[in-house]
Amino acid sequence: MIALRQLKRVPQNHQIIIEVPDTIDENQMMEVILLFKTLPKNTKADKIAQLKNSQSDALFLQDLQAMNDHFSDIDTEEWQ
């Protein structure tokens, strides 16, 4: 099985063309699956809001504490 991934934006006419490599035989059966991604919010204001929200996010704080605990022994060692 050959897997081929192509990322495309939906054009105004809502039609896309799939490029098939020349190494694939003509009339070969293929399965096409469309996965639609939601566009992330990447504005500076959104990033700042996410950082502010992380201060009260229980799961994030637990992960942060776990990492801190994991490296606590190393933090007490002297650097040479």
Side-chain angles (χ1 to χ4, degrees):
M1 179 168 84
I2 297 174
L4 176 65
R5 180 177 182 187
Q6 297 178 19
L7 297 177
K8 301 191 178 277
R9 294 202 180 270
V10 178
Q12 188 174 12
N13 66 2
H14 286 70
Q15 295 179 1
I16 59 170
I17 296 174
I18 301 170
E19 293 97 18
V20 179
D22 294 336
T23 57
I24 304 299
D25 294 333
E26 189 174 323
N27 291 322
Q28 178 152 348
M29 183 63 72
M30 64 185 227
E31 178 179 0
V32 177
I33 300 172
L34 299 177
L35 302 173
F36 298 93
K37 296 182 174 214
T38 57
L39 296 176
K41 295 180 179 179
N42 284 328
T43 66
K44 186 175 181 179
D46 291 328
K47 290 178 183 179
I48 291 173
Q50 289 175 349
L51 284 172
K52 287 181 180 178
N53 289 339
S54 70
Q55 296 173 359
S56 60
D57 184 323
L59 184 58
F60 174 75
L61 295 174
Q62 289 172 1
D63 288 344
L64 194 59
Q65 186 61 49
M67 291 300 296
N68 190 36
D69 294 345
H70 184 72
F71 289 100
S72 63
D73 293 337
I74 295 171
D75 290 339
T76 59
E77 294 180 3
E78 286 189 32
W79 290 82
Q80 295 185 18

